[in-house]
Amino acid sequence: MVKYIDTNIFIHAIIRKKDELTENEKRIKENSMKILKKIQNGIQVRITTFQIAEIMNILEKWEGHDIARDVIKFIIETPNVKIHEITQNELFGAIELAEQYKNNKIGFNDLVTVAAMRNTSNTEIYSFDKHFDQFQDINRLEE
């Protein structure tokens, strides 16, 4: 089954931190780079249009337009990266999840991803975001 991939995989792999990385940050960066290598080697992943926009916004701010553009081009030009266009029903589903989990500080983009995953019967996501662990039907993968 195709696994979803979260925004933070791209962010951790690409953003260059000015300070020295902690051991945990090094592990996250290395695992993120391994996941991107798996994609280059042909594993199929799925990403939402919301996540693509989020990647562009974050990378453009931290790494500049050219790097952000190149990452987005990689995503949309790689045939084994399946782009999921968010539907109106998924947005309504995310709003319902936002009400249900309003005290858990889960970002709306992540809730949209959960709604999309449920809609496409996907249960696994590459992510370092522990918010996904709150959903019993979602299995978060770090490598």
Side-chain angles (χ1 to χ4, degrees), residues 31-76:
N31 284 358
S32 295
M33 292 169 64
K34 285 178 188 176
I35 292 166
L36 293 184
K37 191 70 169 165
K38 287 180 183 181
I39 294 170
Q40 288 177 319
N41 290 335
I43 68 155
Q44 285 199 351
V45 293
R46 188 180 309 271
I47 190 167
T48 71
T49 49
F50 269 49
Q51 291 168 309
I52 293 171
E54 187 177 31
I55 291 166
M56 182 69 181
N57 289 336
I58 293 170
L59 288 181
E60 202 166 35
K61 177 180 178 181
W62 292 99
E63 295 296 325
H65 175 79
D66 291 346
I67 289 174
R69 178 205 59 224
D70 291 346
V71 171
I72 298 305
K73 282 180 72 176
F74 167 78
I75 292 169
I76 62 177

Side-chain angles (χ1 to χ4, degrees), residues 64-128:
H65 175 79
D66 291 346
I67 289 174
R69 178 205 59 224
D70 291 346
V71 171
I72 298 305
K73 282 180 72 176
F74 167 78
I75 292 169
I76 62 177
E77 291 176 350
T78 302
N80 50 307
V81 177
K82 305 301 177 193
I83 297 172
H84 178 82
E85 294 187 32
I86 296 302
T87 67
Q88 185 176 19
N89 285 339
E90 290 163 349
L91 290 173
F92 281 125
I95 290 169
E96 289 175 17
L97 288 169
E99 279 302 305
Q100 187 178 351
Y101 291 89
K102 64 183 169 188
N103 296 323
N104 297 39
K105 299 182 180 177
I106 304 170
F108 189 70
N109 282 350
D110 289 340
L111 295 173
V112 170
T113 300
V114 171
M117 290 177 71
R118 289 176 173 172
N119 189 41
T120 57
S121 300
N122 286 93
T123 59
E124 295 183 312
I125 185 167
Y126 289 114
S127 179
F128 292 98

Side-chain angles (χ1 to χ4, degrees), residues 9-23:
I9 300 299
F10 293 92
I11 302 309
H12 287 299
I14 295 176
I15 287 185
R16 296 169 292 195
K17 190 173 175 192
K18 299 199 183 335
D19 301 329
E20 188 172 332
L21 298 175
T22 66
E23 287 305 312

